Amino acid sequence: MNVLQENLARRQFLKMASASLTVFGAPLVNVANAAQAPARKKLVWVILRGGFDSLHTIVPTFDEHLVQHRPKLYKAVKDKLLPLDSGYGLHPALGHFHQLYQAKQLAPIVAVGSGYGARSHFDGQDYLESGNQQIDHDTGWLGRAVNEKQKQAVAIARSLPISMRSSAANTWYPSALKDAKEDIYQMLFKLYQHDDLLKSRLSEGLAVESKVGGMMQQKKKGNFVALAKSCASLLQGAEGVDCAMLEMGGWDTHNNEVARLNRQLGELDKGIASLQQGLGDEWQNTVVVIATEFGRTVRENGTGGTDHGTGGAMFLAGGAVKGGKVLGQWPGLAEQNLLQNRDLKPTSNSLTWVATALHQHWDLEISQLNNIFNHLRPYQTQVII
């Protein structure tokens, strides 16, 4: 058998294996009824690990104290910013974000904080993912939301993140190993024939492989843009999941921030564009929540960067988002308005914005939200169409 025949045989095997299965345990939608079925509301949770600098991303050009605190960082972008409302400017690397904003499909939210008050990345991320006003490694807000709404979910990660723990979510991540041949899978099916759980896990893995396998070139595995494209494939279509989680690291910019954030924000921008393109018409039913564990110091440091802070920013994006306006209350950058004389002061809670989006997008009742965030009530602001 030559290489082409071998690849075709493998694809046929994967296709047959996945076709005979229930993908992610979800009931398959009858094709004849698919046109009449209500649109499935998709949710994508993107966590930016490392604490991204909101003041270099959604820049408050109207605040006279900005240049005082950040003479070099502000100068690097001030003439290239993409205009938002109320005097804010978007980093020039976020061209697609700006298009979404103009299409009223992006809502930046300024001066947010999760409620975490210290400066450890790991603890801050655990706190944000737990969503329960404490660090809880066993259960996360998205996992609890998935359970409340009986949604199907997948994390694009090597292991299940805290956000999705306590749910039956799957994980997928591109492997660095060579693909196995179909006879290996057939032998595994025989081996597992009397074990329903192992057989089910193998089936689910093959179903995922049939949707996203072979999409990535080896050198691009792990790239956020490629992961976002694969994420869209797992969400798209009648057999796609309802919810997915993406992660992107590299936001801890203590030095050389101008160049590093230009690269990071550019990749994030392309990743969201890739996600939208992959979702096609389903983008209209999708909300993407993008947040980070904390912000950075208001003042730039001596190495061209910023240090761990408190207040930051987040984004809501997607065809289902009521965007085109910067949300959140600006606290000001005058010395007396800074938190602990160094940080942007949060004026709203990032997890409450998440609860607000869940409440409006997935129609979660207050009683259900109580089971997800035991200390939060959604804001009255309309963030979903």
Side-chain angles (χ1 to χ4, degrees), residues 3-17:
V3 174
L4 177 60
Q5 289 172 323
E6 192 172 277
N7 286 340
L8 286 173
R10 182 170 178 277
R11 286 179 201 164
Q12 287 175 333
F13 175 79
L14 291 173
K15 186 177 180 181
M16 286 189 297

Side-chain angles (χ1 to χ4, degrees), residues 52-330:
F52 91 90
D53 184 6
S54 66
L55 292 178
H56 199 67
T57 305
I58 308 166
V59 184
T61 64
F62 56 86
D63 196 311
E64 60 181 344
H65 301 284
L66 180 65
V67 68
Q68 165 198 336
H69 297 305
R70 296 178 162 230
K72 295 179 181 176
L73 290 178
Y74 183 42
K75 181 180 179 181
V77 294
K78 67 186 285 286
D79 295 328
K80 309 171 191 171
L81 294 171
L82 306 171
L84 305 175
D85 66 297
S86 303
Y88 291 97
L90 196 63
H91 191 283
L94 292 172
H96 186 71
F97 273 49
H98 193 244
Q99 290 179 21
L100 292 175
Y101 180 85
Q102 291 176 314
K104 301 190 183 305
Q105 295 183 359
L106 179 85
I109 309 174
V110 297
V112 299
S114 68
Y116 174 70
R119 303 179 192 282
S120 161
H121 288 301
F122 300 112
D123 288 350
Q125 290 167 23
D126 291 354
Y127 190 98
L128 176 67
E129 293 193 70
S130 167
N132 255 342
Q133 217 169 15
Q134 63 182 6
I135 296 172
D136 180 351
H137 291 147
D138 297 325
T139 175
W141 64 261
L142 186 52
R144 297 191 294 272
V146 164
N147 291 340
E148 285 291 334
K149 293 297 288 185
Q150 297 293 298
K151 299 288 189 180
Q152 306 301 321
V154 63
I156 313 299
R158 292 185 175 89
S159 61
L160 195 65
I162 290 175
S163 297
M164 281 190 166
R165 289 182 189 170
S166 78
S167 72
N170 289 275
T171 63
W172 176 84
Y173 201 81
S175 172
L177 301 175
K178 288 185 177 180
D179 293 330
K181 296 179 180 178
E182 68 275 13
D183 55 346
I184 297 294
Y185 297 122
Q186 288 170 341
M187 284 190 286
L188 286 173
F189 268 120
K190 286 183 181 178
L191 183 64
Y192 297 162
Q193 61 182 314
H194 301 301
D195 190 317
D196 290 340
L197 178 60
L198 288 176
K199 196 165 56 178
S200 172
R201 294 300 187 202
L202 177 59
S203 300
E204 291 171 0
L206 288 172
V208 173
E209 169 71 10
S210 71
K211 289 181 74 71
V212 297
M215 291 179 56
M216 296 184 181
Q217 299 174 24
Q218 187 72 24
K219 64 181 181 181
K220 292 184 177 178
K221 288 182 176 179
N223 176 286
F224 182 74
V225 180
L227 294 178
K229 185 176 181 181
S230 296
C231 178
S233 296
L234 293 169
L235 287 160
Q236 211 273 336
E239 296 177 4
V241 296
D242 307 291
C243 172
M245 178 177 174
L246 283 162
E247 306 170 90
M248 184 177 175
W251 299 92
D252 194 15
T253 51
H254 289 280
N255 53 54
N256 194 24
E257 180 170 308
V258 172
R260 292 173 64 188
L261 268 194
N262 190 56
R263 183 174 60 250
Q264 286 288 112
L265 291 170
E267 186 173 341
L268 175 65
D269 192 67
K270 292 175 184 174
I272 299 303
S274 179
L275 177 69
Q276 179 183 3
Q277 183 178 23
L279 284 172
D281 292 342
E282 298 219 57
W283 176 257
Q284 295 303 320
N285 308 315
T286 299
V287 171
V288 184
V289 180
I290 305 169
T292 189
E293 68 265 28
F294 47 56
R296 307 196 73 81
T297 50
V298 170
R299 300 181 186 90
E300 63 186 32
N301 62 27
T303 56
T306 51
D307 301 316
H308 299 180
T310 304
M314 62 187 292
F315 294 97
L316 299 177
V321 169
K322 185 179 180 181
K325 182 180 180 182
V326 177
L327 303 178
Q329 181 182 353
W330 187 246

Side-chain angles (χ1 to χ4, degrees), residues 331-346:
L333 297 179
E335 301 281 345
Q336 65 272 19
N337 294 329
L338 302 185
L339 180 68
Q340 298 175 359
N341 191 33
R342 54 172 283 168
D343 295 346
L344 180 68
K345 184 184 296 181

